[in-house]
Amino acid sequence: MENTTLLVKVEEYTSEILKDQLPPELAPYYFEYTKKVVELTKSIGSHEQLSDEDMEMVQIAAWFHDTGLR
């Protein structure tokens, strides 16, 4: 599954959230970590043969999983 317009917007939005709520020295680390989590969800979702709709939902959840930090 390719990144949809929604997934691109979610990536941009969550990136901004992390930049805004974390110290500047930590934001890049958390963003890279979050990207790795998203990639892992793609791998697991593919292995589990998720539908495109379910794969998109799982990826959105992965993007948002650390946005509640403070």
Side-chain angles (χ1 to χ4, degrees):
M1 174 183 176
E2 293 296 315
N3 278 350
T4 63
T5 302
L6 177 57
L7 285 171
V8 170
K9 288 180 179 181
V10 167
E11 178 180 353
E12 292 169 356
Y13 182 71
T14 56
S15 170
E16 290 301 314
I17 291 172
L18 291 173
K19 285 180 198 171
D20 289 346
Q21 70 179 346
L22 293 171
E25 64 275 8
L26 291 180
Y29 165 78
Y30 274 97
F31 183 70
E32 287 305 312
Y33 163 75
T34 300
K35 284 180 17 179
K36 287 179 185 178
V37 171
V38 172
E39 289 305 312
L40 287 171
T41 63
K42 288 181 189 179
S43 177
I44 294 167
S46 178
H47 178 76
E48 294 298 322
Q49 300 178 348
L50 294 181
S51 68
D52 286 347
E53 183 179 287
D54 287 343
M55 184 75 86
E56 184 177 65
M57 285 190 288
V58 168
Q59 288 179 56
I60 290 169
W63 278 114
F64 276 97
H65 88 276
D66 267 343
T67 57
L69 296 172
R70 281 207 177 200

